[in-house]
Amino acid sequence: MGFSFSGVWKQVYRRLDWPSRVQTPECRAVFQLTCSPSRGPSKLSTVGAGWSFFGSRAESSASGSSQSSPETAIMSTQTYTISTLLEKLTSPDKDFRYMAANDLMNELQKETLQIDDAMENKIVQALLKALDDKNGEVQNLAVKCLGPLIKRVKDNNAENIVSKLCDNTTSTDKDSVQLRDISSMAIKTVFQEMPPTAQLSVPNLVKKVSGKLQPYISKETVPELSIHLEILEIFGIVLQKYGAHLAQNHSLLVDALFPLLRHQRMAVRKRAIGALSSLSTTCSDEIFENLIKRLKSDLMGKMGDVNNAKTAVQFLGGLSRATASRFGKHLPVFVEDVIKTTQSDDDELKEYGFHTLEAFLQKCQADILPFVPKIVEVALKFLSYDPNYSYDGDEVEAGEPEDDEGQYSDDEDMSWKVRRGAVKCLEAVITTRREWILDSLNRISPALVARFIDREETVRVDVITAFLSLLQQTEYSMGGSRKKSDLVDDKDARVGVADALRQQLPSLVKSMKRLIADKSLKSRQASLQLLGRLVQIMPGCLSDSIGLLLPGLEFCLLDKTSVSNIKLEALYFLQNTFSTHPPEVFAPHAALLVKMITKCTSDTFYKVIAESLLATEQLITVIRPLDRPPMADLQGLVPELYSTVFRRFKDPTLDQEIKERAVSCMGQLFHSLGDLLAKELSECLPVFVDRLKNEPTRLSTVKALVVVVGSPLKNDVSPILVELLNLCTSFLRKKLRSLKMVTLELIVLLCRDYGDGVDPQTLITIVHEMPALIQEADLPLSQVALQVIAAVGQRNPEAVISNKLPIVQRLVEISRSPVMQGATMTAVIDVSRMLALAGGRDPELKTDQLIRKFLQPVYETQHTADTVLSATHRQGFVGTAKCVAALALTNSSELMVVAQCLEDILQKNSSESVKMIGLLIVAEIGYYKDLSVAEPKLSQALNFILEHGKDDSKTIVSVALGKLCGGNVQKFVPGIVMELEKTSDKQYIFFNALKELISLVPSQRISLAMIAPFVDRMWNALLTRAGTVEEGYRNLLGECLGKLTALDPQRFVPLLVTALQRSPSVQVKCTILTTIKFTISDERRPIDQLLREVIAAFLNFLNDPDLSVRRTALTLFNSVAHNKPSLLNDKLSSLLPLVYKETQIKAELIREVEMGPFKHEVDDGLDCRKAAYECLYTLLNGCLDKLDMFEFMDHVLRGLADHYDIKTLCFLFVRRLVQAAPAALTQRLENFSTEIAKTLNFKVKPNSVKQEHEKVDELKRAALRAVHALTLLPDADKSRSIAELQGVIKGSTEILAMWETVKNESLPGGGDVEMH
């Protein structure tokens, strides 16, 4: 009986990773099993014996080399392993040869591989021989082995490999056809895998292959057509990656390749086009210009010939893709001729014409601009070009052409390629001309919607894809990436864009209704993606038409022909629709939606089940919103929803993602429908507990229970309350922060609802865990832990009192945190108050005792040093002061506390820390209570600090003066204003006090009406000193003026405009420009509309002759571009040249300063240039559609050769441009790569100081981050410029180490690169 083990052995070898695991017991067991005597003598028994012998030899070899060095031992083992593989590579058994070649490839790919010269020669000879193996799989593996091998071998072996492969490729022996094909494939692999500029052999190898193959380029000398095609393809690859090494041959290559453009075979012409296009990227300008001249005379002059026209058009497309920066200036000469080809009678020529126009649009965006309207007109015309088919309007179903095969053959019909080319052209216009989005919506969008009925599936999907690109551009123009603070009104272009898209909705929905029920799976998937994007961009847009789409969605979800991808896209669309439309929209269709989605939970694919559960969760919130009446009849829907979810919820054997989604969905079910599922809740609570005990589902279960317990329907979880609290307490000791956070939230809810019924000891245990969670390093977690203490304290104060010491200690520590604010600060104050209220039960928690504990760290140091505590600083005192003030106000002892603080301030031996904390406590109490009763001691204390205090204390005096106004406006505001009107050395402090006061308006204590009688005096005092010389003073005045202006813009903005126009003072101009900057905030305010009308008057000072005024104007421009970019929409064309002008280095601003025996250059224009580049960076985020990217990149390139600070900023530009304008950046990639390479190659002088070395290293890291971003560009792996940069990186061990660090850095996914 015959039996073959070849297939079995191949699987065994693969599973066991032979021969790397030959010494394992599992491997020997397999051989003992398969080589049993019962099988009789066979090659398997021989192999088994050999295997055992090999294992013994390997062991003895390893043991014998144990006395050698580790490197020698490793090399010896690797040499033996490879020798064994090479021996097996000559085995008569093809399976042995296959596995030997496969394992040899794995060995060669290891970075730790070390081979000597003898072994290298053996490997080269063995692989070259394996290329002629009788088995095709072995040949393919031999080719793959040559890729990693070429990176390791010496120059002579590399040249031998290339020489042998070239000889095989040009062989005319009829018996070696297969070897010839494999060898040509091997040459391509070698040059694709060879690291550029990393080895000295690269230029020699390139010249070697050129010398061997160049004679065969000419059609007169080539022996066979197949050889000709392979050689041309090889030259295309070599010229693309290493064309610079053949510079002396470029002219000869052009002379040899150009005549092939008239070859009778289209395949030859296409490969010649590819080779010439690759050559054009590295050839000299003279050769390139000659190539263009020959193109004009020899090809473009003979466009009457169809074949010649096809070649010319394809060649133009190839040149534009390969070297757009060079070709761009010649493009206007050729565009008209290319457009004319679309009018030809030959459909293939039309197709090539559109493909070339698409390349022009994508690669030569600036040069093609004048011709875009005409290209759009032609593309729209041929978008519906289908001469062999008649569409009958709405009666024609997409994907179902009429039965007219007798009139024409689909195989002969090429019109669909023309339509597809037209679609691609329109998509290129949409993606590259974002500034024309409104025109695209009005002209291109209706045409695309009308072609959703195209009978050809490929074209139909491309049309949908083009419309999807239009939606993506629309999203940006409508504000998808804009600041929410930006102004939107009837004049805003985004409003027009939204209206234009809204007008397309009826016809779009009508087409989508048909397409999502189409037989074509690709059409259905693309249509669902389009709908999903649409509802994200325009929330609520399908409110009137969701019912039209539901039958198609039902077909997608429930039809047997629907695959998983279709179901997933339909579920994604439903999820997006639920979250972007009001619940009322779905009320009439609730029953159908429940039926559709719940049936999907029975699908066989885990991802569909998980997404259907998520959709169910969202659907529950839609049919029963808790802030309004139910949207549907719930009695008939709830049982089906519950049974569906419960079936998945209780099953512990499901996939992890399904279990998590089921738990979450069940939580939402009880949150929204708990009053209708009271009985069912008791059935589910034990399952929740089981899921809590299972670590993989623990986190999702706690989150679900937070939803259940937090429901306003008051779900009863008392049956598991004790066990739940015990489990939660244990979770607080886990390392997972997210688990601790949601567990604390759950405990807060449980204590709020069930605190009275919980065992006191359990509460004590819970509170005992809290102090360890209260720490400055994690303020959000501390906040929730404090909320737990407050919740427990309300129900059972004794539980908190029993843990009073660690809690108070943590409160004191965290109150001194300089970063604590907001909700965490409120939580600290609440717990402090709660402890004070419990003071009647425990003397240690009385108010005075707690205040003493908060102040103890400050007062303990007052006799040791007259400095601020090293562990804290001025901002750290704020939290302590707020807590002390809250305690004093709680116990109505505020006046006593204030009196004590004032007494401590007036004592001469009090430390600066005591004075600062005392002032802050007085300020916090004075904001809520009228402290005029504390006079005259209050004034004495303030004056004492002003006369004798240090700068930090004086700053706090200004804060205190501002806050004291909250207690009595009429008492304290006049005093501040009076001091402002005087001329004294303390004015800066009182202006700071005014700033503090204005920032408190409006608030619960101070309204605009209260300070209205003093506003004029404030304004005049500020404007009178606007001409001060000191910049810091001017910034303070500008901030005060800006905040005053924002309070009453109608009154003060015209005054600012008048003052700016009348005053010739440089300082006044700077102050007023700063004022406007402070009126622009990150939220929408009434002043925004007024600023739209006057902002140009301020920004025009970008052209001021004074440097400081221009710099201040640039700061204002940056603030506007960041917060309110719409204010620049109609002014950017005039302002942007002024910003560009400030990026230039101006020689007149560079001066030479003598520093002892040395001379040092000082660039007074550096700060202004930095401000200008910061403006440009901001424009990338807010006004991208208004920028000419090529002009923009010219200035970025100039910045890469500027000062260190500007270089660092411009490397951020590169990273941002990769995201914002990849097509435009690709065209300038060579220029950017050159500048980046200069930075990477820069060497610091040996005698430079340490700071200089660190600065250069940081600059190189910034450059490497830019390189890493460039590798994410489309087709980056084919870019010669990026390959050269990677060669520079690999050429230096120092830079390579930095590169590895940069690659491991985590950047924000799909987010913007932040500028620091």
Side-chain angles (χ1 to χ4, degrees):
M1 175 179 178
F3 188 81
S4 172
F5 281 88
S6 61
V8 176
W9 276 115
K10 188 176 294 185
Q11 295 299 321
V12 170
Y13 292 159
R14 285 174 179 166
R15 298 294 178 98
L16 295 181
D17 193 19
W18 176 78
S20 61
R21 300 180 183 174
V22 295
Q23 303 179 48
T24 61
E26 294 86 352
C27 185
R28 293 198 181 100
V30 170
F31 271 86
Q32 290 172 4
L33 176 64
T34 55
C35 303
S36 60
S38 62
R39 297 191 182 276
S42 69
K43 62 181 181 181
L44 294 181
S45 60
T46 305
V47 173
W51 193 287
S52 298
F53 174 67
F54 170 63
S56 301
R57 288 178 59 188
E59 291 169 2
S60 62
S61 174
S63 62
S65 61
S66 62
Q67 304 300 322
S68 306
S69 66
E71 293 80 3
T72 305
I74 292 172
M75 187 172 180
S76 176
T77 303
Q78 291 174 339
T79 301
Y80 179 75
T81 301
I82 293 178
S83 298
T84 305
L85 293 174
L86 295 180
E87 180 182 350
K88 299 297 181 183
L89 198 56
T90 61
S91 170
D93 191 313
K94 64 178 181 180
D95 295 324
F96 275 36
R97 298 198 306 274
Y98 174 86
M99 291 311 303
N102 185 68
D103 290 336
L104 179 60
M105 179 180 66
N106 293 332
E107 290 294 325
L108 292 173
Q109 289 174 342
K110 294 179 180 177
E111 294 184 2
T112 57
L113 178 64
Q114 301 176 21
I115 52 177
D116 54 25
D117 292 346
M119 180 55 63
E120 180 183 307
N121 294 332
K122 291 180 181 179
I123 296 173
V124 169
Q125 296 303 320
L127 289 177
L128 290 176
K129 183 178 179 181
L131 292 175
D132 199 18
D133 196 279
K134 295 179 181 179
N135 184 272
E137 290 183 342
V138 176
Q139 288 179 312
N140 290 332
L141 283 173
V143 170
K144 292 180 181 179
C145 287
L146 289 175
L149 178 65
I150 201 68
K151 303 174 184 178
R152 300 179 179 277
V153 297
K154 306 294 187 299
D155 290 3
N156 58 334
N157 274 325
E159 292 182 16
N160 289 338
I161 291 173
V162 170
S163 179
K164 181 65 175 177
L165 294 177
C166 289
D167 292 340
N168 292 344
T169 301
T170 56
S171 173
T172 57
D173 188 355
K174 295 182 179 179
D175 296 331
S176 60
V177 174
Q178 188 175 9
L179 175 62
R180 186 172 66 205
D181 295 339
I182 286 293
S183 297
S184 66
M185 186 189 307
I187 293 179
K188 298 171 196 173
T189 301
V190 164
F191 281 96
Q192 286 171 339
E193 295 288 335
M194 194 160 42
T197 69
Q199 292 181 357
L200 295 175
S201 63
V202 172
N204 296 333
L205 294 181
V206 172
K207 293 173 183 176
K208 171 73 73 175
V209 74
S210 177
K212 288 273 189 178
L213 300 183
Q214 189 169 337
Y216 293 93
I217 292 179
S218 174
K219 63 181 180 180
E220 288 81 11
T221 58
V222 71
E224 292 183 20
L225 177 63
S226 60
I227 298 177
H228 201 185
L229 294 175
E230 293 295 340
I231 290 174
L232 289 174
E233 192 169 350
I234 291 169
F235 264 100
I237 295 173
V238 172
L239 288 170
Q240 181 185 19
K241 297 193 71 175
Y242 311 103
H245 298 309
L246 293 175
Q248 70 276 18
N249 293 349
H250 282 171
S251 182
L252 295 176
L253 287 170
V254 171
D255 292 338
L257 290 168
F258 200 89
L260 297 180
L261 298 179
R262 295 189 293 272
H263 197 282
Q264 61 182 355
R265 302 294 291 268
M266 176 58 78
V268 174
R269 296 202 299 271
K270 285 185 176 180
R271 283 167 175 76
I273 288 171
L276 284 170
S277 299
S278 299
L279 185 147
S280 67
T281 61
T282 54
C283 68
S284 64
D285 292 339
E286 181 182 358
I287 293 177
F288 184 79
E289 294 299 326
N290 289 334
L291 185 62
I292 293 295
K293 288 179 182 177
R294 295 182 69 172
L295 172 60
K296 291 178 184 177
S297 59
D298 295 1
L299 292 179
M300 302 304 297
K302 302 175 183 178
M303 294 289 283
D305 180 69
V306 173
N307 289 331
N308 199 64
K310 291 177 182 178
T311 304
V313 169
Q314 287 179 287
F315 191 22
L316 289 171
L319 287 175
S320 64
R321 293 184 187 94
T323 176
S325 56
R326 273 181 163 185
F327 178 74
K329 61 182 180 180
H330 300 285
L331 184 139
V333 179
F334 302 108
V335 174
E336 293 291 349
D337 288 331
V338 176
I339 293 176
K340 288 179 182 177
T341 61
T342 61
Q343 311 297 326
S344 169
D345 294 334
D346 188 287
D347 286 349
E348 191 174 20
L349 179 56
K350 290 178 183 175
E351 177 197 0
Y352 293 156
F354 279 119
H355 286 331
T356 300
L357 291 174
E358 179 193 358
F360 289 170
L361 289 164
Q362 290 179 337
K363 301 297 183 180
C364 307
Q365 297 178 22
D367 304 288
I368 196 65
L369 182 59
F371 306 95
V372 173
K374 191 169 184 178
I375 294 174
V376 171
E377 182 181 350
V378 173
L380 288 173
K381 175 183 176 182
F382 284 95
L383 185 63
S384 57
Y385 174 72
D386 198 353
N388 298 319
Y389 189 78
S390 174
Y391 294 89
D392 295 328
D394 295 339
E395 296 180 3
V396 178
E397 289 296 326
E400 297 182 5
E402 293 181 354
D403 186 16
D404 53 2
E405 286 85 352
Q407 299 178 18
Y408 72 99
S409 169
D410 282 338
D411 295 335
E412 298 172 358
D413 182 19
M414 299 292 291
S415 64
W416 68 271
K417 293 185 177 181
V418 178
R419 299 196 301 277
R420 187 183 186 191
V423 171
K424 292 291 185 182
C425 260
L426 292 174
E427 185 177 5
V429 172
I430 291 168
T431 54
T432 59
R433 296 295 162 191
R434 187 177 286 165
E435 68 274 17
W436 291 5
I437 183 63
L438 197 55
D439 183 68
S440 296
L441 283 168
N442 291 329
R443 292 189 63 199
I444 299 177
S445 174
L448 291 176
V449 173
R451 292 308 305 168
F452 285 161
I453 64 171
D454 200 287
R455 62 189 174 88
E456 183 64 38
E457 180 188 59
T458 306
V459 180
R460 190 164 59 248
V461 172
D462 283 339
V463 172
I464 297 172
T465 303
F467 197 91
L468 193 56
S469 299
L470 181 61
L471 286 181
Q472 290 170 343
Q473 301 301 316
T474 304
E475 179 184 21
Y476 180 86
S477 298
M478 289 174 60
S481 60
R482 305 261 182 117
K483 291 279 184 182
K484 292 183 179 180
S485 60
D486 200 5
L487 176 63
V488 179
D489 59 14
D490 294 338
K491 298 179 182 178
D492 199 301
R494 285 175 281 175
V495 177
V497 170
D499 290 341
L501 180 58
R502 196 171 288 109
Q503 291 175 7
Q504 308 295 325
L505 287 178
S507 57
L508 179 62
V509 171
K510 186 178 180 181
S511 298
M512 288 296 102
K513 173 190 173 183
R514 180 171 54 241
L515 285 176
I516 59 176
D518 194 85
K519 292 181 179 179
S520 167
L521 296 179
K522 291 183 179 179
S523 296
R524 268 194 274 171
Q525 185 171 0
S527 301
L528 290 167
Q529 290 172 346
L530 188 153
L531 286 170
R533 199 75 182 130
L534 179 65
V535 296
Q536 289 177 333
I537 294 171
M538 294 189 68
C541 63
L542 298 181
S543 297
D544 299 329
S545 50
I546 192 68
L548 298 175
L549 299 174
L550 285 180
L553 292 171
E554 183 180 13
F555 176 73
C556 291
L557 290 172
L558 305 183
D559 186 71
K560 295 180 180 179
T561 62
S562 287
V563 295
S564 297
N565 287 343
I566 300 295
K567 294 180 181 179
L568 287 173
E569 291 296 344
L571 290 168
Y572 294 150
F573 166 66
L574 284 173
Q575 292 166 12
N576 290 327
T577 308
F578 291 150
S579 61
T580 56
H581 288 69
E584 295 82 1
V585 173
F586 308 99
H589 318 289
L592 178 58
L593 288 168
V594 170
K595 171 191 170 185
M596 289 161 43
I597 297 175
T598 53
K599 281 192 175 182
C600 287
T601 60
S602 301
D603 199 86
T604 56
F605 184 44
Y606 83 97
K607 192 68 176 176
V608 173
I609 301 172
E611 294 303 325
S612 62
L613 286 169
L614 179 58
T616 303
E617 183 178 344
Q618 293 178 321
L619 177 61
I620 292 168
T621 63
V622 166
I623 62 176
R624 178 70 181 279
L626 296 177
D627 58 344
R628 65 192 79 181
M631 294 293 106
D633 181 14
L634 301 179
Q635 297 298 331
L637 302 178
V638 171
E640 184 178 359
L641 284 170
Y642 175 76
S643 61
T644 299
V645 178
F646 184 72
R647 186 176 72 255
R648 296 298 182 183
F649 175 63
K650 69 178 181 179
D651 190 349
T653 63
L654 296 174
D655 182 87
Q656 176 69 18
E657 185 176 358
I658 298 177
K659 285 195 287 188
E660 290 180 353
R661 289 284 171 83
V663 168
S664 177
C665 187
M666 185 59 77
Q668 186 61 51
L669 191 65
F670 285 112
H671 178 86
S672 299
L673 302 168
D675 54 338
L676 303 176
L677 295 169
K679 294 181 180 179
E680 288 80 0
L681 179 60
S682 59
E683 181 183 18
C684 292
L685 289 177
V687 183
F688 275 118
V689 173
D690 288 340
R691 295 291 179 269
L692 285 174
K693 295 177 180 178
N694 185 10
E695 186 175 358
T697 57
R698 184 172 294 156
L699 178 60
S700 57
T701 306
V702 176
K703 290 180 179 179
L705 285 170
V706 169
V707 175
V708 174
V709 179
S711 171
L713 301 177
K714 301 298 181 182
N715 294 301
D716 183 14
V717 297
S718 56
I720 61 168
L721 181 61
V722 175
E723 189 173 9
L724 192 55
L725 286 172
N726 290 333
L727 286 170
C728 287
T729 305
S730 66
F731 296 162
L732 296 177
R733 305 185 195 103
K734 303 293 183 182
K735 291 183 178 180
L736 188 62
R737 179 186 178 276
S738 55
L739 176 62
K740 288 191 283 190
M741 179 70 81
V742 294
T743 300
L744 288 171
E745 293 174 4
L746 179 58
I747 293 174
V748 170
L749 294 172
L750 291 173
C751 291
R752 181 197 68 185
D753 295 340
Y754 303 97
D756 295 336
V758 179
D759 178 43
Q761 187 57 44
T762 302
L763 294 177
I764 292 174
T765 305
I766 291 173
V767 175
H768 181 72
E769 299 291 337
M770 295 303 110
L773 301 175
I774 302 173
Q775 49 191 335
E776 182 183 353
D778 194 342
L779 292 180
L781 188 66
S782 302
Q783 173 191 334
V784 189
L786 289 166
Q787 290 172 354
V788 170
I789 295 174
V792 173
Q794 290 176 358
R795 298 291 186 177
N796 193 334
E798 295 297 332
V800 177
I801 293 174
S802 64
N803 292 277
K804 59 186 177 183
L805 294 179
I807 292 176
V808 172
Q809 181 183 353
R810 290 295 186 180
L811 288 175
V812 172
E813 290 175 359
I814 198 172
S815 70
R816 296 162 55 194
S817 170
V819 296
M820 187 181 65
Q821 56 185 341
T824 308
M825 177 71 76
T826 303
V828 172
I829 293 173
D830 289 344
V831 173
S832 301
R833 284 174 173 166
M834 184 201 68
L835 291 172
L837 292 174
R841 306 184 185 188
D842 193 321
E844 293 186 19
L845 294 180
K846 288 185 176 180
T847 302
D848 58 338
Q849 295 296 322
L850 289 175
I851 291 176
R852 185 174 290 111
K853 289 183 183 296
F854 274 104
L855 294 178
Q856 185 177 359
V858 179
Y859 279 81
E860 279 181 349
T861 61
Q862 67 172 328
H863 300 297
T864 60
D866 194 30
T867 57
V868 179
L869 290 173
S870 59
T872 183
H873 52 76
R874 188 178 70 205
Q875 186 61 31
F877 288 135
V878 174
T880 301
K882 285 181 178 291
C883 291
V884 171
L887 289 170
L889 291 167
T890 301
N891 201 35
S892 300
S893 60
E894 63 272 7
L895 293 180
M896 183 177 63
V897 172
V898 168
Q900 183 62 50
C901 289
L902 294 177
E903 184 177 340
D904 291 340
I905 292 171
L906 291 170
Q907 287 184 3
K908 292 184 179 180
N909 61 345
S910 293
S911 70
E912 201 69 19
S913 300
V914 170
K915 295 174 184 176
M916 290 170 64
I917 194 70
L919 282 171
L920 286 169
I921 293 170
V922 170
E924 292 297 331
I925 294 176
Y927 179 68
Y928 295 98
K929 292 291 183 179
D930 180 9
L931 293 187
S932 60
V933 296
E935 295 287 14
K937 266 198 172 183
L938 177 60
S939 296
Q940 292 173 4
L942 295 175
N943 288 326
F944 179 79
I945 296 295
L946 291 176
E947 294 294 337
H948 307 289
K950 295 185 178 180
D951 289 342
D952 281 344
S953 296
K954 291 179 180 179
T955 302
I956 293 180
V957 167
S958 63
V959 174
L961 285 170
K963 286 209 163 187
L964 286 170
C965 297
N968 190 334
V969 172
Q970 300 302 322
K971 165 68 178 176
F972 295 104
V973 173
I976 294 175
V977 175
M978 189 180 301
E979 291 293 335
L980 293 177
E981 294 171 337
K982 295 179 182 179
T983 301
S984 69
D985 57 352
K986 302 185 185 69
Q987 272 193 327
Y988 189 83
I989 294 172
F990 287 99
F991 278 117
N992 258 321
L994 179 62
K995 182 186 75 171
E996 182 71 23
L997 168 62
I998 298 172
S999 20
L1000 295 173
V1001 181
S1003 67
Q1004 59 178 339
R1005 303 291 304 173
I1006 309 175
S1007 66
L1008 179 59
M1010 290 181 179
I1011 66 167
F1014 313 101
V1015 167
D1016 285 341
R1017 294 172 63 189
M1018 294 177 186
W1019 180 268
N1020 293 331
L1022 290 166
L1023 212 55
T1024 300
R1025 288 160 182 79
T1028 185
V1029 176
E1030 186 183 348
E1031 184 176 1
Y1033 209 148
R1034 292 201 306 270
N1035 288 337
L1036 175 59
L1037 294 171
E1039 186 174 356
C1040 292
L1041 284 167
K1043 291 182 176 181
L1044 269 180
T1045 303
L1047 292 176
D1048 192 355
Q1050 296 292 338
R1051 179 183 178 188
F1052 290 122
V1053 169
L1055 294 179
L1056 287 174
V1057 176
T1058 303
L1060 189 62
Q1061 293 172 345
R1062 290 180 178 177
S1063 176
S1065 168
V1066 168
Q1067 288 76 24
V1068 171
K1069 292 177 183 177
C1070 291
T1071 303
I1072 294 178
L1073 291 175
T1074 304
T1075 298
I1076 296 299
K1077 184 186 77 171
F1078 281 104
T1079 64
I1080 298 169
S1081 71
D1082 57 357
E1083 56 187 22
R1084 295 179 184 175
R1085 299 195 294 185
I1087 194 175
D1088 296 343
Q1089 188 60 49
L1090 190 59
L1091 284 176
R1092 182 191 290 278
E1093 302 170 5
V1094 300
I1095 194 68
F1098 300 99
L1099 292 178
N1100 284 336
F1101 280 88
L1102 288 168
N1103 203 25
D1104 194 88
D1106 187 83
L1107 179 65
S1108 57
V1109 174
R1110 295 201 303 273
R1111 180 162 55 84
T1112 309
L1114 285 168
T1115 307
L1116 171 60
F1117 182 97
N1118 193 25
S1119 179
V1120 175
H1122 182 73
N1123 294 298
K1124 315 284 182 190
S1126 63
L1127 296 180
L1128 299 175
N1129 279 347
D1130 54 345
K1131 305 168 186 68
L1132 200 59
S1133 58
S1134 60
L1135 295 175
L1136 193 54
L1138 301 178
V1139 179
Y1140 284 152
K1141 184 179 178 181
E1142 294 305 317
T1143 64
Q1144 300 173 6
I1145 299 176
K1146 298 177 181 178
E1148 64 272 17
L1149 296 177
I1150 300 176
R1151 53 192 170 89
E1152 197 174 71
V1153 178
E1154 293 187 0
M1155 302 178 66
F1158 304 102
K1159 293 183 178 180
H1160 177 64
E1161 282 190 350
V1162 175
D1163 187 352
D1164 292 328
L1166 177 60
D1167 288 340
C1168 202
R1169 292 204 305 280
K1170 286 170 62 177
Y1173 275 106
E1174 288 169 0
C1175 290
L1176 295 182
Y1177 190 88
T1178 305
L1179 289 175
L1180 273 179
N1181 295 322
C1183 302
L1184 184 63
D1185 53 335
K1186 303 295 181 183
L1187 300 176
D1188 180 342
M1189 292 311 304
F1190 296 98
E1191 182 182 11
F1192 185 92
M1193 286 190 290
D1194 288 340
H1195 296 279
V1196 178
L1197 283 166
R1198 185 186 295 118
L1200 288 174
D1202 205 321
H1203 186 268
Y1204 162 83
D1205 293 336
I1206 294 177
K1207 280 184 182 179
T1208 304
L1209 179 56
C1210 287
F1211 286 130
L1212 283 179
F1213 274 91
V1214 176
R1215 295 164 61 188
R1216 183 68 183 90
L1217 285 168
V1218 170
Q1219 303 170 1
L1225 180 60
T1226 302
Q1227 295 183 51
R1228 297 290 175 87
L1229 189 54
E1230 185 176 352
N1231 307 82
F1232 279 99
S1233 299
T1234 302
E1235 295 299 332
I1236 293 173
K1238 290 179 183 177
T1239 299
L1240 295 177
N1241 290 322
F1242 181 78
K1243 303 294 182 184
V1244 186
K1245 294 180 181 179
N1247 58 347
S1248 298
V1249 296
K1250 179 182 177 182
Q1251 290 80 356
E1252 185 66 22
H1253 285 274
E1254 292 174 349
K1255 184 185 292 186
V1256 172
D1257 286 346
E1258 185 55 41
L1259 187 62
K1260 288 183 178 180
R1261 277 189 284 272
L1264 290 171
R1265 293 186 186 100
V1267 175
H1268 186 264
L1270 291 175
T1271 60
L1272 304 178
L1273 285 170
D1275 299 326
D1277 55 329
K1278 302 176 183 177
S1279 170
R1280 180 177 55 85
S1281 299
I1282 293 179
E1284 290 175 353
L1285 282 175
Q1286 290 175 334
V1288 172
I1289 293 170
K1290 294 176 181 177
S1292 168
T1293 54
E1294 179 186 358
I1295 296 178
L1296 186 59
M1298 291 183 185
W1299 172 248
E1300 294 300 326
T1301 303
V1302 166
K1303 286 198 299 182
N1304 294 330
E1305 289 177 354
S1306 57
L1307 292 175
D1312 294 342
V1313 180
E1314 295 296 333
M1315 183 174 64
H1316 301 284

